[in-house]
Structures are given as C-alpha cells and as structure tokens.
Amino acid sequence: MTKKNILTLALVGISLLSSVSTLLAQSPEWSESKRKKGIQVLTRPFAGSNLDEFLGRTEVDASISQIIALLTDPASCKNLYHQCKELTVLSGTEKKSVVYLRNGAPWPVNDRDLIMDRGFEQNEKTLATVMKIKRLDSNLRPPPSGVTRMENFEGVWRIIPQTNGKLKIEYQAHFEPGGSVPQSVINLVLTDTPYESLLNVQKLVEEGKHKDAKFDWIKEPAKSNSN
C-alpha cells in the first residue's frame, strides 16, 4: 500500500471518528429522576428547548390489544392519563385519529389543551407497537376561556414484547406549554406525568380492564407453552 493510500485511509478514519463524536455530543444521555414501584422515569435536555423531555418505562403482563384499548378509551382520560380532564376523538379511526386533549394544572396556572394527531404502527417482525401523538396546528376546536393552548407537544407510547412474556411499556414526550409556567410546576410535570400514567396502566391491567380487547390490525406475540 502506498503512502498516499495510507494517508487517505487515515484521513477517512479521522473523519468518521469526528462524525461519531459529533453525533454523540448531539444526543445527551438520560438522567434518572425517579424509580419506584417498577417504574423508571428519565429526563434529558431537548435540543432547542429550555424544557427537558421525559421517558417513563415499566413492564406489565398484558396483551398488546389490551394496552391499546386502555390508551384509546375516552374513559381512560381520568383513569389513566395524569391530570387529564378531557380526551375526545374528533375524527378518524381506531388506528389513526385526530384527538382533543385538555390537561389540568395546579392553581394559578391555566389548564392546557391541544388538538393532536394520534396513530398506531406495528413492526411486523418484532411486533413492537407504537402510538405516536403530535400537536396539530388546528382550530378545529378553539380553547375554552381560561385555557392556554400548548405551543408544541410530541410523544410516543411504545409497547414492546419481552422474552419473559411481558410487555415493556414506554412513554416518551416533550412539550412546550405556552404562556407562563413556574419551573416548580414544570419539574413536577416532567416526573409525575410519566410516573402516574404508567402507575395507572399497571393498576388497570391488574384490574383486568379491557383484558379481552382485540384489534384486527394487531398481531399478538405467540404464548409459550411451558409444562
């Protein structure tokens, strides 16, 4: 190999290492904020925002369809989602819809609301299923008096089959609440929202809520027959 070729390979190697370092620098690591009752809550800085994003995770013994039914049941607004006051489907189907959401806030902070796109996808091989939610710039339903419309919201619920037969449930999101919100309230939201929501998922699964739910567009993992 000539000196020119060696030099070229070296420069390519340095360039690749530099690219990897840059990517790593752009992806800050998660920091654990809470771990309790089988639920872990993590937060990390979000690019271009003063507010962190959160990630909550836990495991439950349930079917994928049961979790989807829990997440989409309008009654789950108050039984599952932390601080939820209203969850109304404005249009669409079970798999993809436009939804109105209103969340409560501690006094003297205004309630927040938004209109969002909600859709499900399932990986054909791993059967991992995600529910993606994202704010829509829409006035399909104007905010009520005294309610502040959120400037941005983007999140995902992940339902991931595990080798032990259980499901790993992850709830990850970032939001811009709009208006003025004290940092103390923001800090509570970042930990309480994923923690309380996942704790409610655990409780509803244990109670057998929507245990027999089935969706024709969802494939369930095969159950192992152990003797």
Side-chain angles (χ1 to χ4, degrees), residues 5-226:
N5 288 338
I6 293 174
L7 179 59
T8 300
L9 288 174
L11 290 172
V12 169
I14 292 171
S15 176
L16 288 173
L17 287 173
S18 176
S19 298
V20 171
S21 298
T22 301
L23 286 173
L24 290 174
Q26 292 175 347
S27 302
E29 293 185 0
W30 291 101
S31 175
E32 185 174 273
S33 299
K34 190 169 188 174
R35 184 189 289 265
K36 188 177 180 182
K37 295 186 178 181
I39 299 170
Q40 181 187 33
V41 177
L42 307 162
T43 58
R44 70 177 178 184
F46 189 86
S49 174
N50 294 324
L51 302 182
D52 290 351
E53 66 176 324
F54 64 72
L55 169 63
R57 52 168 65 123
T58 191
E59 283 192 3
V60 294
D61 188 2
S63 67
I64 296 175
S65 293
Q66 181 181 10
I67 300 301
I68 292 175
L70 290 175
L71 294 176
T72 57
D73 183 355
S76 289
C77 168
K78 297 181 180 179
N79 297 333
L80 191 156
Y81 297 109
H82 184 55
Q83 298 286 11
C84 181
K85 283 190 172 181
E86 183 181 350
L87 181 66
T88 303
V89 176
L90 301 178
S91 64
T93 63
E94 290 176 337
K95 194 172 182 180
K96 186 171 178 59
S97 55
V98 174
V99 180
Y100 172 82
L101 174 69
R102 175 175 174 177
N103 277 352
W107 185 90
V109 179
N110 287 348
D111 287 357
R112 259 51 182 183
D113 77 345
L114 75 156
I115 296 174
M116 60 185 183
D117 179 73
R118 182 178 74 185
F120 287 91
E121 298 175 3
Q122 184 176 45
N123 185 293
E124 293 183 1
K125 294 182 179 179
T126 66
L127 303 186
T129 305
V130 297
M131 182 179 82
K132 295 181 179 180
I133 44 182
K134 186 174 183 178
R135 178 188 181 277
L136 288 176
D137 187 11
S138 169
N139 286 319
L140 189 61
R141 183 167 170 180
S145 176
V147 176
T148 300
R149 180 132 300 175
M150 296 181 68
E151 294 179 356
N152 194 27
F153 182 90
E154 188 168 359
V156 59
W157 283 80
R158 301 184 187 93
I159 309 167
I160 310 168
Q162 303 295 290
T163 55
N164 61 7
K166 294 186 177 182
L167 298 176
K168 178 190 287 186
I169 310 296
E170 294 186 342
Y171 178 26
Q172 180 178 347
H174 175 262
F175 63 93
E176 297 290 346
S180 177
V181 182
Q183 189 60 45
S184 58
V185 173
I186 293 294
N187 292 338
L188 281 175
V189 170
L190 289 175
T191 54
D192 287 359
T193 297
Y195 177 78
E196 296 294 339
S197 297
L198 288 171
L199 186 62
N200 288 334
V201 169
Q202 289 180 348
K203 291 177 181 178
L204 291 169
V205 166
E206 290 172 1
E207 292 170 2
K209 185 73 171 177
H210 294 306
K211 184 177 181 179
D212 299 323
K214 294 187 184 301
F215 296 92
D216 56 13
W217 41 274
I218 285 294
K219 183 177 180 182
E220 300 285 349
K223 294 291 184 180
S224 59
N225 296 320
S226 55

